[in-house]
């Protein structure tokens, strides 16, 4: 997980938070449902960390959305690279 926020991490985090709130679900409830620690969920939602694909799918399943919903608005240029 990256310590540097990227626009992609911020967008995905916002999408997660919006989907969670639409279900009136707390961060702790999402953590239990996805089997991901609540501190990680908070970091993802804040855009401070980028989850791996497995975690993205687990979060999507817990939120009862297609994983693509969490990627809405994300384009390759949004990822910070060291190139």
């Amino acid at each position: 997980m990256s310590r540097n926020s990227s626009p992609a991490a911020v967008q995905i985090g916002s999408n997660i938070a919006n989907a969670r709130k639409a279900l009136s679900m707390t961060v702790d409830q999402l953590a239990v449902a996805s089997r991901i620690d609540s501190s990680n969920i908070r970091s993802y939602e804040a855009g401070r960390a980028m989850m791996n694909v497995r975690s993205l799918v687990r979060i999507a399943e817990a939120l009862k959305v297609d994983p693509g919903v969490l990627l809405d608005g994300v384009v390759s240029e949004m990822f910070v690279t060291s190139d």
Side-chain angles (χ1 to χ4, degrees), residues 18-64:
N18 291 337
R20 178 181 59 75
K21 291 173 186 174
L23 294 175
S24 299
M25 183 183 277
T26 67
V27 169
D28 291 331
Q29 290 169 327
L30 177 55
V32 169
S34 64
R35 300 173 323 279
I36 296 172
D37 191 84
S38 61
S39 64
N40 288 342
I41 300 289
R42 285 182 181 86
S43 290
Y44 300 152
E45 286 192 1
R48 292 189 306 265
M50 179 66 75
M51 79 275 327
N52 60 35
V53 173
R54 181 177 182 207
S55 294
L56 180 89
V57 170
R58 286 168 58 181
I59 291 169
E61 288 173 348
L63 294 170
K64 298 177 178 31

Side-chain angles (χ1 to χ4, degrees), residues 17 61 63 65 67-69 76 78 80:
E61 288 173 348
L63 294 170
V65 298
V69 169
S76 61
M78 297 172 87
V80 176

